[in-house]
Amino acid sequence: MKKIDGKEVAQKVIDECKSQIAELKVKGITPGLAVVLVGEDPASKVYVGAKARKCEELGIYSKKIELPADASQEQVMQVVEDLNNDPAIDGILVQSPPPPHIDEDAIVRAINPNKDVDGFHPVNVAKLVLEDPSGFIPCTPHGCLRLLQDTGIETSGAEAVVIGRSMIVGKPMALLLMGKLGNATVTVAHSRTKDLAAVCRRADIIIAAIGKPEFVTADMVKDGAVVIDVGINRVEDSSKKSGYKLVGDVAFDEVATKCSAITPVPGGVGPMTIAMLMKNTVISASRR
Ligand code: NAD
């Protein structure tokens, strides 16, 4: 069994970004990423901090805009509008989830699609469906595909089962795998799927994006399958100073005994998501 090292592959992506950034700087261009955080969600704060630190490491100009939890829809929309018009900013993301009174769809639609480095704007979703390379591909599923490719796992002709149909992970993951980049035969499973275990046992490649701790168990996995665990779940752990630990959507210890390759949590998909975000920001800057 191979434990797929997300940090190692992410570092390769980061190194590619570094050389592209150096080329851009020669042309007088410094890529810029703006991250908007509304409210105090602790996990969101961690993600936003990690993105800002990665920008700093790479020499990407980063702008962090923090709004209070009671910020109005109009305030957030104004921030997005200002960033759309800011020539120093190539990428804009509004950290999800915003507080419940904020209409997240409206915010995403307000972002200029050419700065939508998350790839969530309807224009970029359409471009993903159309396999139009001028769009931005959502970072997490793109990172999963890159992990498979760099690990030498053949997706072409493989039976892939994606568990989860969210717009952030499941749906774009299925599109990438079924498209010309993946060439896999794809099944999308979700909360209404009957006999999920039987569906999963067909898979050469399982992508788990469910949001339920250790949901995928050994009986759901065929011998020799590849398992990519997108899940990030906080579960109580009194032995940790923080009082919690992070686990994926896959019961790692038991599933690892059956598969040929598997991503750990943390250290698998997570670092890839940030790396692909940096990549999208650099691509956006190179289109200035
Ligand atoms: P989501 O809640 O939007 O979607 C979960 C999906 O799982 C749904 O489509 C649902 O149909 C499916 N599902 C729920 N219960 C199921 C069941 N019993 N059987 C089969 N399918 C079921 O979540 P999401 O935004 O797609 O995120 C999924 C997980 O990935 C979460 O743990 C999240 O924290 C994590 N995540 C990680 C990264 C990363 O960078 N590694 C990025 C995004 C999300």
Side-chain angles (χ1 to χ4, degrees):
M1 186 276 298
K2 181 182 168 60
K3 191 158 144 183
I4 299 173
D5 188 344
K7 284 189 201 146
E8 194 184 301
V9 182
Q11 190 56 49
K12 267 172 71 181
V13 176
I14 292 296
D15 290 343
E16 290 163 15
C17 288
K18 279 183 182 161
S19 58
Q20 287 161 335
I21 290 166
E23 284 169 25
L24 285 169
K25 292 217 163 148
V26 173
K27 296 182 193 158
I29 296 172
T30 300
L33 175 68
V35 182
V36 183
L37 176 65
V38 188
E40 303 282 330
D41 181 64
S44 293
K45 281 192 157 186
V46 172
Y47 295 143
V48 166
K51 287 166 189 174
R53 276 197 303 282
K54 195 52 87 179
C55 283
E56 201 174 315
E57 178 195 326
L58 284 171
I60 292 177
Y61 164 60
S62 86
K63 195 169 186 173
K64 189 161 97 181
I65 295 147
E66 291 180 280
L67 295 172
D70 62 358
S72 67
Q73 181 79 17
E74 291 67 34
Q75 272 176 291
V76 186
M77 294 292 259
Q78 187 59 53
V79 165
V80 168
E81 190 51 32
D82 292 346
L83 294 168
N84 281 341
N85 295 323
D86 185 342
I89 295 300
D90 301 288
I92 303 169
L93 69 86
V94 180
Q95 186 63 46
S96 187
H101 68 279
I102 297 290
D103 178 350
E104 192 174 9
D105 282 347
I107 305 285
V108 169
R109 283 166 167 75
I111 296 172
N112 177 344
N114 297 325
K115 295 190 178 189
D116 166 43
V117 286
D118 261 341
F120 297 158
H121 189 283
V123 166
N124 285 316
V125 176
K127 286 183 173 180
L128 178 62
V129 177
L130 295 165
E131 301 193 59
D132 174 342
S134 72
F136 290 111
I137 298 173
C139 304
T140 301
H142 202 192
C144 293
L145 185 67
R146 179 78 196 253
L147 268 185
L148 291 168
Q149 289 168 336
D150 280 39
T151 313
I153 291 156
E154 182 63 89
T155 57
S156 181
E159 285 278 346
V161 172
V162 178
I163 319 174
R165 57 178 165 183
S166 73
M167 289 305 300
I168 294 171
V169 193
K171 276 199 194 109
M173 187 76 250
L175 286 165
L176 282 173
L177 282 167
M178 79 167 83
K180 292 193 175 67
L181 293 174
N183 289 309
T185 303
V186 181
T187 303
V188 180
H190 48 76
S191 52
R192 302 289 177 92
T193 297
K194 283 183 186 153
D195 201 354
L196 180 65
V199 172
C200 290
R201 278 194 298 270
R202 294 207 299 259
D204 302 312
I205 299 169
I206 294 177
I207 314 272
I210 311 153
K212 294 196 166 142
E214 302 182 323
F215 182 83
V216 176
T217 45
D219 60 305
M220 299 164 77
V221 179
K222 164 172 101 172
D223 277 330
V226 173
V227 177
I228 305 289
D229 188 353
V230 182
I232 302 178
N233 308 291
R234 283 185 180 205
V235 296
E236 270 182 42
D237 183 349
S238 54
S239 71
K240 298 267 188 234
K241 214 170 118 190
S242 59
Y244 71 87
K245 64 173 177 178
L246 293 181
V247 299
D249 288 348
V250 176
F252 184 90
D253 290 339
E254 61 176 80
V255 170
T257 61
K258 292 192 85 178
C259 47
S260 59
I262 183 168
T263 59
V265 176
V269 175
M272 291 303 294
T273 296
I274 288 206
M276 299 317 270
L277 175 67
M278 298 299 124
K279 187 138 200 128
N280 276 351
T281 304
V282 174
I283 291 170
S284 181
S286 69
R287 292 175 182 164
R288 258 192 217 178

